[in-house]
Amino acid sequence: MSVTQPAAERVRVSAEPDWYESAGISLGVRVGNLVFTSGQAPIDAQGATVGAGDFERQARQALANLSTVLTNAGSSLAEVVKATVFVTDIAQQDIFAKLRAEHFPDKPHLAESFVEVSSLANPEWMIEIEAIGLVR
């Protein structure tokens, strides 16, 4: 005997303005009680880079964008279970560790991958963060 589960509906997560609409991607997608975000970059709501050359400022902006997407999906930074952080300089790990402690203080700690890449979509970007969060 087999049991077939109905497929969970995929719901696009957006913001107003939606800074990724012109790229043809969603800020995030909610499936059931999970939210999958696109990589959140250090950009403002109009898509302009914030903090060129300043890693901490860029990281704070990317985290603020991540928070907005999660909130718009019915989640929050406190509900993140997995994050992937892409950076162009692995030496920034200590700065990000400080920000992680500020933004994700709850235990158990989230699962995270911290990855150095040769470049991101915009050469001014030093960081991009994607996450999976719960909706309770």
Side-chain angles (χ1 to χ4, degrees):
M1 178 171 107
S2 68
V3 176
T4 304
Q5 295 286 339
E9 181 182 4
R10 296 185 323 168
V11 178
R12 181 176 183 270
V13 180
S14 63
E16 188 57 46
D18 186 327
W19 51 89
Y20 283 176
E21 178 65 31
S22 64
I25 61 175
S26 296
L27 291 172
V29 175
R30 180 174 166 177
V31 181
N33 70 334
L34 294 175
V35 178
F36 301 85
T37 73
S38 290
Q40 296 304 307
I43 58 175
D44 64 20
Q46 288 69 46
T49 299
V50 171
D54 182 339
F55 179 82
E56 184 170 343
R57 189 162 170 224
Q58 287 200 1
R60 287 186 183 281
Q61 182 66 46
L63 286 162
N65 292 348
L66 182 63
S67 178
T68 296
V69 174
L70 291 164
T71 298
N72 289 357
S75 186
S76 69
L77 290 176
E79 297 298 335
V80 170
V81 294
K82 170 70 170 97
T84 305
V85 183
F86 302 97
V87 297
T88 57
D89 181 2
I90 202 77
Q92 304 297 338
Q93 191 166 9
D94 289 344
I95 293 172
F96 192 78
K98 177 184 82 165
L99 296 176
R100 182 188 319 105
E102 287 176 22
H103 290 82
F104 303 101
D106 297 337
K107 292 184 179 179
H109 297 299
L110 61 95
E112 177 186 282
S113 297
F114 194 85
V115 182
E116 182 179 56
V117 296
S118 61
S119 66
L120 293 163
N122 180 320
E124 290 185 316
W125 298 351
M126 304 168 77
I127 186 169
E128 189 171 322
I129 307 167
E130 65 182 28
I132 301 170
L134 296 173
V135 177
R136 296 199 189 264

